[in-house]
Amino acid sequence: MARCVVLLAAMLAAAAGQEPSEKAKPDQPPAKPEDYKVYTEHPRLLVNARRLRLLRRERERKTLRWEQFNALIVGKAPMPEPGFAFALHYLASEDKASAKQAISWATSAAATDLRQVALVFDWCQPELTESQSTALTAKLSAGLERVGKLATVSAQRDRVLTAAALSDHVPEAPERHLKDVFENWWMAKTAPALLKNRNSFARIDGYPLMELMHVIQDNLKFDMRDNARLFFRDFPLHRVISYYPAAYPAADAVYHVPQYSGLGEPDVTDAALSRAADLAIVAFDTNALEHQFLQGWLIQDRYIMRSPFAAPYEFLWANPYQPGLSYHH
Protein backbone atom coordinates (compact mmCIF):
# COMPACT_ATOMS: atom_id res chain seq x y z
CA MET A 1 0.00 0.00 0.00
CA ALA A 2 2.81 2.43 0.89
CA ARG A 3 4.42 1.77 -2.49
CA CYS A 4 1.13 2.53 -4.26
CA VAL A 5 0.84 5.85 -2.39
CA VAL A 6 4.38 6.83 -3.39
CA LEU A 7 3.72 5.91 -7.03
CA LEU A 8 0.48 7.88 -7.11
CA ALA A 9 2.20 10.91 -5.59
CA ALA A 10 4.94 10.67 -8.22
CA MET A 11 2.31 10.45 -10.98
CA LEU A 12 0.58 13.58 -9.73
CA ALA A 13 3.82 15.51 -9.45
CA ALA A 14 4.90 14.51 -12.95
CA ALA A 15 1.52 15.32 -14.47
CA ALA A 16 1.44 18.72 -12.77
CA GLY A 17 4.81 19.56 -14.28
CA GLN A 18 3.72 18.61 -17.79
CA GLU A 19 0.31 20.28 -17.89
CA PRO A 20 0.13 23.62 -19.75
CA SER A 21 -1.12 26.69 -17.95
CA GLU A 22 -4.90 26.92 -17.56
CA LYS A 23 -5.08 30.70 -17.65
CA ALA A 24 -7.80 31.91 -19.96
CA LYS A 25 -6.69 33.67 -23.12
CA PRO A 26 -7.44 37.41 -23.20
CA ASP A 27 -10.12 36.93 -25.87
CA GLN A 28 -11.75 34.01 -24.05
CA PRO A 29 -13.99 35.03 -21.12
CA PRO A 30 -14.28 32.47 -18.30
CA ALA A 31 -16.90 29.83 -18.99
CA LYS A 32 -20.25 30.17 -17.25
CA PRO A 33 -23.85 28.99 -17.72
CA GLU A 34 -25.87 30.64 -20.45
CA ASP A 35 -28.86 31.11 -18.19
CA TYR A 36 -29.65 30.75 -14.46
CA LYS A 37 -33.28 29.76 -14.91
CA VAL A 38 -34.07 26.14 -14.00
CA TYR A 39 -36.33 24.42 -16.53
CA THR A 40 -36.02 20.81 -15.36
CA GLU A 41 -38.93 18.92 -13.81
CA HIS A 42 -38.94 17.69 -10.21
CA PRO A 43 -37.01 15.84 -8.90
CA ARG A 44 -34.16 18.11 -9.91
CA LEU A 45 -31.83 17.93 -6.89
CA LEU A 46 -29.09 15.25 -6.98
CA VAL A 47 -31.44 12.73 -8.62
CA ASN A 48 -31.69 13.14 -12.37
CA ALA A 49 -33.70 10.73 -14.55
CA ARG A 50 -30.80 8.29 -14.94
CA ARG A 51 -30.09 8.13 -11.21
CA LEU A 52 -33.78 7.75 -10.40
CA ARG A 53 -33.95 4.72 -12.70
CA LEU A 54 -30.91 3.26 -10.96
CA LEU A 55 -32.40 3.75 -7.48
CA ARG A 56 -35.66 2.07 -8.46
CA ARG A 57 -33.82 -0.76 -10.16
CA GLU A 58 -31.88 -1.33 -6.93
CA ARG A 59 -35.19 -1.57 -5.09
CA GLU A 60 -36.67 -3.98 -7.64
CA ARG A 61 -33.60 -6.22 -7.48
CA LYS A 62 -33.53 -6.09 -3.66
CA THR A 63 -29.83 -5.37 -3.64
CA LEU A 64 -27.77 -5.23 -0.48
CA ARG A 65 -27.66 -1.43 -0.38
CA TRP A 66 -31.43 -1.13 -0.83
CA GLU A 67 -32.20 -3.87 1.68
CA GLN A 68 -30.10 -2.31 4.43
CA PHE A 69 -31.52 1.18 3.80
CA ASN A 70 -35.08 -0.14 3.60
CA ALA A 71 -34.60 -2.16 6.80
CA LEU A 72 -33.67 1.01 8.69
CA ILE A 73 -36.78 2.84 7.45
CA VAL A 74 -39.19 -0.07 7.93
CA GLY A 75 -37.65 -0.89 11.31
CA LYS A 76 -38.23 2.71 12.42
CA ALA A 77 -34.58 3.30 13.25
CA PRO A 78 -33.96 6.91 14.38
CA MET A 79 -32.60 8.63 11.29
CA PRO A 80 -30.17 11.49 12.00
CA GLU A 81 -31.28 13.22 8.78
CA PRO A 82 -34.98 12.33 8.61
CA GLY A 83 -35.94 14.64 5.75
CA PHE A 84 -33.18 13.33 3.52
CA ALA A 85 -33.72 9.67 4.47
CA PHE A 86 -37.53 9.49 4.21
CA ALA A 87 -37.66 11.56 1.01
CA LEU A 88 -35.01 9.33 -0.58
CA HIS A 89 -36.95 6.23 0.46
CA TYR A 90 -40.06 7.70 -1.15
CA LEU A 91 -38.21 8.38 -4.39
CA ALA A 92 -37.00 4.81 -4.65
CA SER A 93 -40.10 3.01 -3.37
CA GLU A 94 -42.91 5.48 -4.16
CA ASP A 95 -44.18 4.70 -0.67
CA LYS A 96 -46.52 7.54 0.27
CA ALA A 97 -46.01 6.83 3.97
CA SER A 98 -42.33 7.78 3.64
CA ALA A 99 -43.26 10.98 1.80
CA LYS A 100 -45.71 11.80 4.56
CA GLN A 101 -43.02 11.39 7.21
CA ALA A 102 -40.57 13.51 5.25
CA ILE A 103 -43.11 16.28 4.73
CA SER A 104 -44.21 16.15 8.36
CA TRP A 105 -40.62 16.70 9.44
CA ALA A 106 -39.94 19.45 6.88
CA THR A 107 -43.00 21.49 7.90
CA SER A 108 -42.21 21.21 11.62
CA ALA A 109 -40.38 23.79 13.71
CA ALA A 110 -37.57 21.27 14.24
CA ALA A 111 -36.66 21.34 10.54
CA THR A 112 -33.92 23.97 10.51
CA ASP A 113 -31.59 22.23 8.02
CA LEU A 114 -32.26 24.12 4.80
CA ARG A 115 -30.65 21.46 2.60
CA GLN A 116 -32.97 18.72 3.89
CA VAL A 117 -36.05 20.93 3.59
CA ALA A 118 -35.12 21.67 -0.03
CA LEU A 119 -34.70 17.96 -0.76
CA VAL A 120 -38.11 17.15 0.73
CA PHE A 121 -39.75 19.97 -1.24
CA ASP A 122 -38.17 18.74 -4.46
CA TRP A 123 -38.34 14.95 -4.04
CA CYS A 124 -41.82 14.78 -2.50
CA GLN A 125 -43.43 17.35 -4.80
CA PRO A 126 -46.23 14.99 -6.01
CA GLU A 127 -47.37 14.37 -2.42
CA LEU A 128 -47.46 17.98 -1.20
CA THR A 129 -50.83 19.56 -0.52
CA GLU A 130 -51.31 23.17 -1.57
CA SER A 131 -50.97 24.39 2.02
CA GLN A 132 -47.83 22.31 2.59
CA SER A 133 -46.29 23.57 -0.63
CA THR A 134 -47.05 27.17 0.37
CA ALA A 135 -45.56 26.68 3.84
CA LEU A 136 -42.37 25.07 2.52
CA THR A 137 -42.00 27.71 -0.20
CA ALA A 138 -42.12 30.44 2.47
CA LYS A 139 -39.71 28.54 4.70
CA LEU A 140 -37.23 27.97 1.88
CA SER A 141 -37.47 31.57 0.65
CA ALA A 142 -36.67 32.91 4.11
CA GLY A 143 -33.82 30.44 4.51
CA LEU A 144 -32.42 31.36 1.11
CA GLU A 145 -32.01 34.99 2.10
CA ARG A 146 -30.52 34.04 5.45
CA VAL A 147 -27.94 31.58 4.15
CA GLY A 148 -26.98 33.96 1.34
CA LYS A 149 -25.03 36.00 3.89
CA LEU A 150 -22.67 33.11 4.73
CA ALA A 151 -19.48 32.28 2.84
CA THR A 152 -18.84 28.60 3.64
CA VAL A 153 -19.02 25.86 1.01
CA SER A 154 -21.92 24.26 2.89
CA ALA A 155 -23.83 27.55 2.87
CA GLN A 156 -23.29 27.99 -0.87
CA ARG A 157 -24.45 24.40 -1.42
CA ASP A 158 -27.59 25.13 0.58
CA ARG A 159 -28.21 28.25 -1.53
CA VAL A 160 -27.88 26.33 -4.77
CA LEU A 161 -30.13 23.46 -3.70
CA THR A 162 -32.76 25.81 -2.31
CA ALA A 163 -32.68 28.16 -5.30
CA ALA A 164 -32.93 25.29 -7.78
CA ALA A 165 -35.84 23.75 -5.85
CA LEU A 166 -37.70 27.08 -5.75
CA SER A 167 -37.11 28.07 -9.36
CA ASP A 168 -40.49 28.48 -11.13
CA HIS A 169 -42.20 28.52 -7.72
CA VAL A 170 -41.16 32.08 -6.82
CA PRO A 171 -40.05 34.87 -9.15
CA GLU A 172 -36.50 36.21 -9.62
CA ALA A 173 -34.88 35.33 -6.28
CA PRO A 174 -33.74 31.79 -7.23
CA GLU A 175 -32.03 33.00 -10.41
CA ARG A 176 -30.41 35.90 -8.54
CA HIS A 177 -28.95 33.55 -5.95
CA LEU A 178 -27.74 31.01 -8.50
CA LYS A 179 -26.02 33.76 -10.46
CA ASP A 180 -24.40 35.19 -7.32
CA VAL A 181 -23.11 31.80 -6.16
CA PHE A 182 -21.66 30.95 -9.53
CA GLU A 183 -20.24 34.27 -10.69
CA ASN A 184 -19.18 35.85 -7.38
CA TRP A 185 -18.42 32.95 -5.05
CA TRP A 186 -17.25 30.32 -7.54
CA MET A 187 -15.91 31.97 -10.67
CA ALA A 188 -14.41 35.12 -9.09
CA LYS A 189 -13.05 33.66 -5.83
CA THR A 190 -13.12 29.92 -5.27
CA ALA A 191 -12.05 28.51 -8.63
CA PRO A 192 -9.04 30.87 -8.96
CA ALA A 193 -8.01 30.02 -5.39
CA LEU A 194 -8.11 26.30 -6.18
CA LEU A 195 -5.90 26.82 -9.21
CA LYS A 196 -3.45 28.91 -7.21
CA ASN A 197 -3.14 26.47 -4.32
CA ARG A 198 -4.65 23.09 -5.05
CA ASN A 199 -3.88 21.75 -1.55
CA SER A 200 -5.81 24.47 0.30
CA PHE A 201 -9.24 22.90 -0.16
CA ALA A 202 -10.62 21.53 3.13
CA ARG A 203 -11.55 17.88 2.86
CA ILE A 204 -14.74 18.40 4.85
CA ASP A 205 -15.95 20.65 2.03
CA GLY A 206 -15.69 17.86 -0.54
CA TYR A 207 -19.22 16.53 -0.11
CA PRO A 208 -21.12 19.86 -0.15
CA LEU A 209 -19.07 20.92 -3.19
CA MET A 210 -20.07 17.77 -5.07
CA GLU A 211 -23.77 18.27 -4.26
CA LEU A 212 -23.49 21.84 -5.54
CA MET A 213 -21.73 20.70 -8.73
CA HIS A 214 -24.32 17.99 -9.43
CA VAL A 215 -27.19 20.46 -9.13
CA ILE A 216 -25.47 23.00 -11.41
CA GLN A 217 -24.70 20.33 -14.00
CA ASP A 218 -28.13 18.72 -13.95
CA ASN A 219 -30.13 21.96 -14.04
CA LEU A 220 -27.96 24.62 -15.68
CA LYS A 221 -26.17 22.16 -17.98
CA PHE A 222 -22.75 23.45 -16.98
CA ASP A 223 -19.68 21.53 -15.81
CA MET A 224 -18.00 23.56 -13.06
CA ARG A 225 -14.73 21.74 -13.67
CA ASP A 226 -14.31 24.00 -16.71
CA ASN A 227 -13.29 26.82 -14.37
CA ALA A 228 -10.57 24.81 -12.58
CA ARG A 229 -9.51 21.93 -14.80
CA LEU A 230 -6.08 21.45 -13.21
CA PHE A 231 -7.60 21.06 -9.76
CA PHE A 232 -10.27 18.60 -10.82
CA ARG A 233 -7.87 16.57 -12.96
CA ASP A 234 -5.95 15.56 -9.83
CA PHE A 235 -8.88 15.69 -7.40
CA PRO A 236 -9.81 11.95 -7.46
CA LEU A 237 -6.20 10.79 -7.01
CA HIS A 238 -5.57 13.27 -4.22
CA ARG A 239 -8.63 11.84 -2.49
CA VAL A 240 -7.21 8.32 -2.57
CA ILE A 241 -3.71 9.16 -1.33
CA SER A 242 -4.96 11.34 1.52
CA TYR A 243 -6.49 8.41 3.39
CA TYR A 244 -4.55 6.52 6.04
CA PRO A 245 -3.45 3.07 4.80
CA ALA A 246 -5.11 1.26 7.71
CA ALA A 247 -8.90 0.85 7.65
CA TYR A 248 -10.96 1.66 10.75
CA PRO A 249 -13.43 -0.99 11.98
CA ALA A 250 -16.33 1.00 13.46
CA ALA A 251 -19.42 -0.57 15.00
CA ASP A 252 -21.51 -0.33 11.83
CA ALA A 253 -18.92 -0.63 9.01
CA VAL A 254 -15.28 -0.53 8.04
CA TYR A 255 -14.12 2.93 6.97
CA HIS A 256 -11.21 4.42 5.11
CA VAL A 257 -10.04 7.19 7.43
CA PRO A 258 -9.25 10.57 5.84
CA GLN A 259 -6.20 12.42 7.08
CA TYR A 260 -6.99 14.56 10.12
CA SER A 261 -5.17 16.59 12.73
CA GLY A 262 -5.47 16.20 16.45
CA LEU A 263 -5.69 13.28 18.81
CA GLY A 264 -8.32 10.67 19.55
CA GLU A 265 -10.35 8.22 17.53
CA PRO A 266 -11.34 9.00 13.93
CA ASP A 267 -14.63 10.81 13.38
CA VAL A 268 -16.91 8.25 11.73
CA THR A 269 -19.25 10.96 10.42
CA ASP A 270 -16.36 12.65 8.63
CA ALA A 271 -15.27 9.29 7.22
CA ALA A 272 -18.82 8.59 5.99
CA LEU A 273 -19.17 11.98 4.29
CA SER A 274 -15.72 11.56 2.76
CA ARG A 275 -16.79 8.26 1.20
CA ALA A 276 -20.06 9.87 0.06
CA ALA A 277 -18.04 12.62 -1.62
CA ASP A 278 -15.88 10.04 -3.41
CA LEU A 279 -18.96 8.19 -4.66
CA ALA A 280 -20.49 11.48 -5.83
CA ILE A 281 -17.26 12.31 -7.71
CA VAL A 282 -17.54 9.06 -9.65
CA ALA A 283 -21.23 9.70 -10.35
CA PHE A 284 -20.43 13.16 -11.71
CA ASP A 285 -18.48 11.79 -14.67
CA THR A 286 -18.43 8.03 -15.05
CA ASN A 287 -16.27 8.17 -18.19
CA ALA A 288 -13.28 10.01 -16.71
CA LEU A 289 -10.27 7.69 -16.34
CA GLU A 290 -9.34 9.14 -12.94
CA HIS A 291 -12.88 8.50 -11.71
CA GLN A 292 -12.70 4.87 -12.84
CA PHE A 293 -9.61 4.34 -10.68
CA LEU A 294 -11.47 5.94 -7.78
CA GLN A 295 -14.45 3.65 -8.44
CA GLY A 296 -12.19 0.59 -8.34
CA TRP A 297 -10.96 1.69 -4.94
CA LEU A 298 -14.43 2.45 -3.58
CA ILE A 299 -16.60 -0.42 -4.74
CA GLN A 300 -15.55 -3.10 -2.29
CA ASP A 301 -18.32 -4.68 -0.23
CA ARG A 302 -16.46 -4.51 3.07
CA TYR A 303 -16.67 -0.70 2.96
CA ILE A 304 -20.43 -0.46 2.37
CA MET A 305 -21.87 2.02 4.90
CA ARG A 306 -24.69 0.68 7.05
CA SER A 307 -25.43 3.20 9.82
CA PRO A 308 -28.68 5.24 9.96
CA PHE A 309 -26.64 8.32 9.07
CA ALA A 310 -24.51 6.85 6.29
CA ALA A 311 -26.75 4.23 4.63
CA PRO A 312 -28.85 6.81 2.72
CA TYR A 313 -25.67 8.28 1.21
CA GLU A 314 -24.42 4.83 0.25
CA PHE A 315 -27.72 4.01 -1.43
CA LEU A 316 -27.99 7.37 -3.20
CA TRP A 317 -24.52 7.50 -4.75
CA ALA A 318 -23.03 4.02 -5.08
CA ASN A 319 -23.28 2.41 -8.50
CA PRO A 320 -22.11 -1.23 -8.35
CA TYR A 321 -22.70 -1.56 -12.11
CA GLN A 322 -20.13 1.12 -12.94
CA PRO A 323 -16.85 -0.57 -13.96
CA GLY A 324 -13.81 0.44 -11.99
CA LEU A 325 -10.08 0.14 -12.59
CA SER A 326 -7.67 -1.24 -10.03
CA TYR A 327 -6.12 1.65 -8.11
CA HIS A 328 -2.94 -0.46 -7.77
CA HIS A 329 -2.17 0.67 -11.31
Side-chain angles (χ1 to χ4, degrees), residues 175-194:
E175 292 75 35
R176 172 170 52 84
H177 279 275
L178 288 171
K179 181 177 182 179
D180 183 61
V181 170
F182 190 88
E183 296 188 8
N184 296 325
W185 176 80
W186 174 251
M187 196 165 64
K189 298 176 183 177
T190 308
L194 293 179

Side-chain angles (χ1 to χ4, degrees), residues 3 18 56 62 76 93 98 127 133 137 178 184-185 189 205 241 276 284 299 307 323:
R3 182 184 177 193
Q18 296 169 3
R56 290 179 176 172
K62 298 183 178 179
K76 302 187 184 303
S93 67
S98 290
E127 306 303 325
S133 182
T137 298
L178 288 171
N184 296 325
W185 176 80
K189 298 176 183 177
D205 292 329
I241 66 175
F284 190 83
I299 212 70
S307 72

Side-chain angles (χ1 to χ4, degrees), residues 36-40 42 44 121 144 160-175 178 219-220:
Y36 293 97
K37 177 71 176 177
V38 174
Y39 297 99
T40 48
H42 297 285
R44 57 174 68 145
F121 181 79
L144 185 59
V160 167
L161 266 66
T162 303
L166 285 176
S167 190
D168 76 13
H169 292 273
V170 299
E172 298 183 0
E175 292 75 35
L178 288 171
N219 295 281
L220 301 184

Side-chain angles (χ1 to χ4, degrees), residues 52-67 69-70 88-95 315 321:
L52 183 58
R53 287 194 300 270
L54 173 62
L55 294 177
R56 290 179 176 172
R57 187 165 68 241
E58 290 285 274
R59 186 253 305 168
E60 292 166 0
R61 294 179 176 179
K62 298 183 178 179
T63 63
L64 174 59
R65 287 178 173 83
W66 164 253
E67 289 292 284
F69 175 45
N70 186 54
L88 178 61
H89 189 265
Y90 164 72
L91 270 187
S93 67
E94 300 178 276
D95 184 346
F315 177 65
Y321 313 105

